[in-house]
Amino acid sequence: MMEQGQRVLQCLQHIQGANPEAIKAAEAQLTVESQQPGYGVVLCQIALSTQVAAHLRQLAAVLLKQYVRQHWVEGERGFQPPETNEQDKQQIRQALPAGLADADSKIRTAVGMAIAAIANWDWPQAWPGLMDYLVNSIKDRKDANLCECVADAGWPASIVVDRRTSCNSLW
């Protein structure tokens, strides 16, 4: 990972630690990092990296969801500048769905929630291939865990009406 990635990963490690001063400093540093281009991409990379401990990957995915809610679309409720640039958005949209196939259910759920936050604004216009990817992944793997993850991640009812009916009808 790049230098920014190392700084963010170190902050995540400190946040999970027991030292209150280190936790406070790490949280402050993450606030600074969130203002920099590439922060969302770094969180996505950490969340998807099998070389990183699962609890840190899960935290990165949760922070990515928070980042999306605060920085994805200017003018939306809860928005905090700066808005994520289009290149970073594209990199995140391209990479993040792979996390739905993670072996760890906590990672799948956290990634699913981040995807749901992005899809809230970007699907279908800016992310037209998302639904095809999800449906094909479920069909190809016959992966009930993926179906559960998508349904449990807070997807709007218009996307996943009844997970049992929708998923069972795929195979």
Side-chain angles (χ1 to χ4, degrees), residues 128-141:
L130 175 62
M131 193 54 58
D132 288 339
Y133 173 85
L134 295 173
V135 170
N136 289 332
S137 293
I138 292 168
K139 281 182 179 179
D140 292 348
R141 290 187 234 138

Side-chain angles (χ1 to χ4, degrees), residues 4 7-8 27-43 63 66-68 70-72 78-85 88:
Q4 183 183 28
R7 287 192 310 266
V8 170
E27 289 172 343
Q29 181 62 37
L30 285 178
T31 299
V32 170
E33 294 293 340
S34 73
Q35 304 299 307
Q36 304 303 313
Y39 176 70
V41 173
V42 165
L43 289 175
L63 290 175
Q66 177 182 338
Y67 172 80
V68 166
Q70 294 174 344
H71 299 281
W72 206 257
F79 177 78
Q80 297 175 13
E83 182 175 7
T84 306
N85 67 57
D88 285 2

Side-chain angles (χ1 to χ4, degrees), residues 7-113:
R7 287 192 310 266
V8 170
L9 184 57
Q10 187 175 37
C11 287
L12 298 179
Q13 291 167 333
H14 288 300
I15 286 172
Q16 295 288 306
N19 181 339
E21 291 176 16
I23 293 169
K24 193 174 194 175
E27 289 172 343
Q29 181 62 37
L30 285 178
T31 299
V32 170
E33 294 293 340
S34 73
Q35 304 299 307
Q36 304 303 313
Y39 176 70
V41 173
V42 165
L43 289 175
C44 182
Q45 291 170 341
I46 292 170
L48 299 177
S49 175
T50 58
Q51 304 302 310
V52 175
H55 68 284
L56 298 175
R57 295 173 62 210
Q58 181 183 11
L59 178 57
V62 169
L63 290 175
L64 178 58
K65 178 187 76 167
Q66 177 182 338
Y67 172 80
V68 166
R69 289 183 174 167
Q70 294 174 344
H71 299 281
W72 206 257
V73 178
E74 188 172 0
E76 291 294 324
R77 188 184 61 167
F79 177 78
Q80 297 175 13
E83 182 175 7
T84 306
N85 67 57
E86 193 55 43
Q87 181 180 358
D88 285 2
K89 288 179 180 182
Q90 183 58 33
Q91 287 180 332
I92 293 166
R93 285 189 299 253
Q94 185 175 15
L96 198 56
L100 294 173
D102 199 276
D104 188 322
S105 65
K106 291 178 182 176
I107 303 299
R108 287 194 308 268
T109 299
V111 165
M113 294 181 88

